[in-house]
């Protein structure tokens, strides 16, 4: 069976499980996949468009720097700025070929069982019927209670959800 959380930040663990882990995996259920909220789709579209704008700005900056290096006849700088310009252009093309989220996007929410500390930092641990998952935590959400899996087309994004603060 394919991994549910197919992202670089999530690691599926199926070997070297303890008896407690195996019991939690056996008791776990697959979360219901539902249509994504229109607000979440709009937010993800905005993030992708923001990334494209930043890359286009970088392309403009490195083009100007390359022209300055050519005028100065500094070939080391020409090579550095030119190669960076090519990499930025490839990133723009790759991001342009990636489709934007649309109305067919789906989402599911997976509860976090506990937090573990490891060599790469803290990780949220989720149990599903196909294994144990470690999702790296970030500093913005230090104590996640759930993981939202956002899918559209062949792409999967994950988002950690923190505790609601009551005032």
């Amino acid at each position: 069976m394919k991994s549910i959380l197919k992202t670089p930040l999530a690691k599926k663990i199926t070997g070297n499980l303890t008896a407690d882990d195996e019991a939690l995996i056996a008791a776990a259920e697959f979360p219901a996949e539902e249509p994504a909220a229109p607000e979440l789709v709009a937010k993800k579209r905005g993030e992708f468009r923001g990334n494209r704008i930043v890359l286009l700005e970088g392309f403009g900056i490195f083009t100007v720097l390359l022209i300055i290096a050519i005028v100065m006849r500094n070939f080391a700088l020409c090579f550095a700025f030119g190669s960076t310009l090519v990499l930025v252009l490839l990133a723009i093309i790759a991001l342009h070929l990636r489709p934007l989220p649309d109305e067919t996007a789906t989402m599911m929410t997976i509860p976090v069982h506990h937090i573990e500390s490891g060599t790469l930092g803290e990780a949220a641990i989720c149990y599903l019927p196909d294994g144990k998952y470690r999702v790296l935590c970030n500093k913005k959400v230090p104590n996640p209670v759930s993981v939202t899996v956002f899918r559209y087309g062949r792409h999967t994004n994950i988002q950690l959800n923190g505790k609601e603060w009551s005032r």
Side-chain angles (χ1 to χ4, degrees):
M1 177 173 267
K2 288 186 176 180
S3 177
I4 291 225
L5 302 174
K6 306 180 287 189
T7 63
L9 300 176
K11 180 182 179 190
K12 180 178 174 182
I13 301 170
T14 54
N16 299 327
L17 297 171
T18 65
D20 292 338
D21 289 338
E22 290 176 358
L24 289 168
I25 290 170
E29 295 179 3
F30 279 111
E33 195 164 7
E34 56 196 31
E39 302 86 27
L40 184 59
V41 172
K43 178 183 171 189
K44 292 294 181 184
R45 277 187 190 159
E47 288 176 6
F48 290 132
R49 287 188 179 130
N51 290 343
R52 288 178 181 175
I53 289 170
V54 168
L55 285 173
L56 289 172
E57 290 170 349
F59 184 79
I61 290 170
F62 280 106
T63 302
V64 169
L65 290 174
L66 179 62
I67 291 170
I68 292 171
I70 290 171
V71 169
M72 291 174 39
R73 293 187 179 160
N74 188 338
F75 296 112
L77 283 177
C78 286
F79 178 75
F81 293 141
S83 59
T84 304
L85 191 64
V86 168
L87 291 176
V88 170
L89 183 63
L90 290 174
I92 289 171
I93 291 170
L95 204 57
H96 181 70
L97 294 176
R98 185 175 184 171
L100 289 173
D102 56 4
E103 291 74 29
T104 62
T106 60
M107 63 182 265
M108 65 177 80
T109 304
I110 303 169
V112 171
H113 187 267
H114 64 279
I115 307 292
E116 284 183 358
S117 293
T119 56
L120 298 176
E122 291 188 337
I125 305 299
C126 303
Y127 292 99
L128 292 172
D130 63 343
K132 174 181 175 180
Y133 288 89
R134 291 178 49 97
V135 181
L136 290 179
C137 294
N138 57 22
K139 294 179 182 173
K140 294 179 184 175
V141 186
N143 231 358
V145 294
S146 65
V147 176
T148 300
V149 180
F150 179 75
R151 291 183 182 180
Y152 65 98
R154 296 176 300 159
H155 304 284
T156 302
N157 292 53
I158 60 172
Q159 174 182 340
L160 294 169
N161 304 314
K163 294 180 181 177
E164 299 284 337
W165 292 98
S166 58
R167 294 182 186 204

